[in-house]
Amino acid sequence: MHDVQPLVEAVDALADRFRSLPQSKLLGAVPGHGSRAAAALALARRLAALGLAVEGGPEREFPDAGAFAVGDQLAVAGHDLAVALAALPEGTEVALPEALGGPADAPAVLAGAVAAIGETAALCA
């Protein structure tokens, strides 16, 4: 079993931050995104795609539920990924699509997800 606690802690902290942002901050632009909410949605979509890849499921559309829901969407996607990674046996390679970096082992997927959360947190500070 993989230690997914760093992922859970990082995604919970960022999700809580987005849940508490006022509308003016949520909708404020950041480099590469039309708003902080859009940056968080892009991260949630990435985490959801990683989770589906870890589970071996087909790609699905991750909806845009609006700026005020993005914190919850981020938390759900991050927790789903954590559960999927925790269930993988040690040494399992994940068949990530090329758009997500190609095949990788679970620790690399975990580290990449935590890094992406950190990057979005810094971008949206």
Side-chain angles (χ1 to χ4, degrees), residues 48-77:
L50 287 170
L52 287 171
V54 168
E55 293 172 342
E59 292 184 32
R60 286 180 272 181
E61 183 178 340
F62 191 89
D64 180 350
F68 294 109
V70 76
D72 292 331
Q73 288 185 291
L74 188 55
V76 168

Side-chain angles (χ1 to χ4, degrees), residues 9-105:
E9 290 173 2
V11 79
D12 282 349
L14 187 57
D16 286 346
R17 199 166 103 200
F18 273 95
R19 288 179 185 122
S20 68
L21 286 176
Q23 181 177 5
S24 60
K25 287 280 192 181
L26 278 171
L27 300 180
V30 294
H33 300 279
S35 68
R36 284 177 181 82
L41 179 61
L43 174 61
R45 285 178 169 161
R46 179 174 179 81
L47 297 177
L50 287 170
L52 287 171
V54 168
E55 293 172 342
E59 292 184 32
R60 286 180 272 181
E61 183 178 340
F62 191 89
D64 180 350
F68 294 109
V70 76
D72 292 331
Q73 288 185 291
L74 188 55
V76 168
H79 282 256
D80 284 352
L81 175 58
V83 168
L85 286 169
L88 285 180
E90 293 292 329
T92 301
E93 186 170 273
V94 179
L96 295 179
E98 288 301 319
L100 294 175
D105 63 6

